[in-house]
Amino acid sequence: MKPTHPDHAPPADAAARRAIKPVICYPVETLPRPDLAALRRARAGWTKTAEVIVPAREANFFEVPAGSFFRIVSIDGPQVGDLNLWSLQDLNERFYSGKTRALHGTHLSTGDQLWSSIPYLRPMATITEDTLDWYGIDEHGGSVHDVIGTRCDPYTHHLLSGGETYHHCCHSNLTRALAEETGLMKHACEFHVHDVLNVFMCTGFTRDTGQYFMKASPVRPGDYLEFFAEIDLGGALSACPGGDCSSEHSSDAAACYPLKIEIYRPQDRPEGWGSPAQNGYDRTHGCDLD
Ligand SMILES: [Zn+2]
C-alpha cells in the first residue's frame, strides 16, 4: 500500500507528471473476436448432456467437449464460485487469469474470453450469456465475475489468523476435486490449481488505498454465467466458504449454498467456428541455444 506520509517530497513538476493521460496497455482492436451471434444461434435445439452439483464448501470436477456450452447456475441462495479450467489433454495448459485481466479488464462479461497460460495462450472459453450484466460498475468501483482475486487458500489464512487451520478454502476444495478426478496425489494437484475466475463475486479495489475488497454478491437463484468451450475442457468449481462473500471467507461462518453446472451440446457446430490452435509464436525467444 502507498504510505500516508511518504518519505520523499514531491518534485516541482509532480502535478504535471500525475496529469499525464493513461494509455490502454493492450488495445484489443486487433484481437481476433468470437462471432457471438453465431455462438448464440448454436444454442437453438441444444441438448443438456450433464448436470453437476457443487455442494456448499466443496468443489466438483466437470468436462466440456470443445464446441459445447456450460452454465454455472445459482440455485438455492446467493453463492460465489471459484472456477479453474484446464485443457483436458494437458493440465499444463490452464486458465491465465492475469493475461485475461490485461486483455479484457478486471471483471468479465458477455463476449469476453478466458485465455490459457503461456506458451499456449489461446481462448479456452467464451462467455455467451451473463444474467448479471445489468450490474455494471457500482459506486464503490465494484463489479461481478472478477479476475483480480486469486482464490481463498489455507496458507494465507494461516498467516492472517495466527496459525489457524481450515480445510475448505477454495484452493483446498479445488485441489481435492482435481485429485479425486485424476488420481494424482493431492500435493501434486495443488500445483495445478491456479488463480480463478470469481464467478458471481462482487469485488473491486478501494479508491483511497487500492485494497482488494468484496461485498455481498447481487446473484440470486436462477442467475447464471454461460460459456462456450473453445477447446476440450476440464473444469473445477468451488462453492466458496464465503457464501455471497458479504463478510468473511476461510471459515464456516457464512451461509453457503450449492452451485449447479449444466452442460449443453448443440445440434451443429456454430457457423464459421473452429477450435483455436495453440499460439503461433515460434518460442525461440531470439535465442540460438536449444
Ligand atoms: Zn473461496
Side-chain angles (χ1 to χ4, degrees):
M1 269 182 287
K2 297 299 177 184
T4 309
H5 303 290
D7 290 333
H8 304 278
D13 64 344
R17 294 194 206 179
R18 288 192 178 111
I20 295 169
K21 293 264 185 298
V23 294
I24 298 297
C25 289
Y26 287 99
V28 290
E29 285 73 23
T30 56
L31 197 64
R33 302 305 299 139
D35 185 346
L36 190 60
L39 297 182
R40 287 175 152 184
R41 279 197 301 275
R43 299 182 298 194
W46 66 8
T47 305
K48 189 193 287 184
T49 56
E51 274 191 4
V52 176
I53 296 293
V54 180
R57 293 191 175 83
E58 293 288 349
N60 229 330
F61 192 89
F62 61 99
E63 294 181 9
V64 191
S68 285
F69 292 80
F70 67 102
R71 283 182 176 179
I72 297 173
V73 187
S74 169
I75 43 176
D76 292 347
Q79 175 64 44
V80 161
D82 284 48
L83 178 68
N84 266 192
L85 292 177
W86 298 269
S87 159
L88 201 54
Q89 283 79 34
D90 180 3
L91 283 180
N92 292 312
E93 183 176 8
R94 60 196 198 181
F95 172 51
Y96 188 177
S97 162
K99 193 61 76 181
T100 300
R101 177 194 325 135
L103 289 168
H104 295 306
T106 54
H107 298 78
L108 304 187
S109 192
T110 309
D112 290 334
Q113 296 188 297
L114 280 69
W115 293 80
S116 65
S117 49
I118 286 173
Y120 315 97
L121 198 64
R122 58 177 167 172
M124 305 181 84
T126 300
I127 298 176
T128 47
E129 196 81 43
D130 172 13
T131 66
L132 290 175
D133 61 358
W134 58 268
Y135 191 85
I137 299 174
D138 67 31
E139 61 180 301
H140 307 288
S143 191
V144 293
H145 314 313
D146 80 72
V147 280
I148 54 179
T150 52
R151 59 202 178 269
C152 58
D153 74 87
Y155 302 98
T156 308
H157 178 64
H158 191 82
L159 289 172
L160 294 175
S161 66
E164 282 182 19
T165 295
Y166 183 69
H167 295 308
H168 287 269
C169 287
C170 289
H171 176 85
S172 299
N173 296 344
L174 294 167
T175 297
R176 287 196 309 279
L178 188 63
E180 284 163 18
E181 175 63 26
T182 61
L184 292 169
M185 300 298 287
K186 60 182 180 300
H187 288 150
C189 277
E190 79 171 325
F191 289 106
H192 292 292
V193 172
H194 48 275
D195 286 351
V196 300
L197 169 62
N198 274 314
V199 179
F200 305 140
M201 191 171 182
C202 190
T203 60
F205 293 110
T206 57
R207 294 274 161 81
D208 52 350
T209 62
Q211 286 175 286
Y212 183 47
F213 73 75
M214 61 185 191
K215 54 183 281 188
S217 171
V219 70
R220 297 293 180 268
D223 279 319
Y224 60 87
L225 189 62
E226 180 188 281
F227 306 81
F228 175 75
E230 299 280 352
I231 63 173
D232 290 337
L233 291 175
L237 182 71
S238 170
C240 181
D244 69 355
C245 288
S246 59
S247 56
E248 64 178 70
H249 51 74
S250 305
S251 77
D252 283 343
C256 257
Y257 303 95
L259 290 166
K260 184 168 68 168
I261 302 158
E262 299 173 341
I263 297 162
Y264 295 90
R265 184 179 60 229
Q267 286 181 327
D268 300 301
R269 68 164 47 198
E271 193 182 330
W273 173 80
S275 189
Q278 292 182 4
N279 195 276
Y281 174 62
D282 66 9
R283 300 186 66 190
T284 57
H285 305 290
C287 177
D288 293 331
L289 301 174
D290 286 331

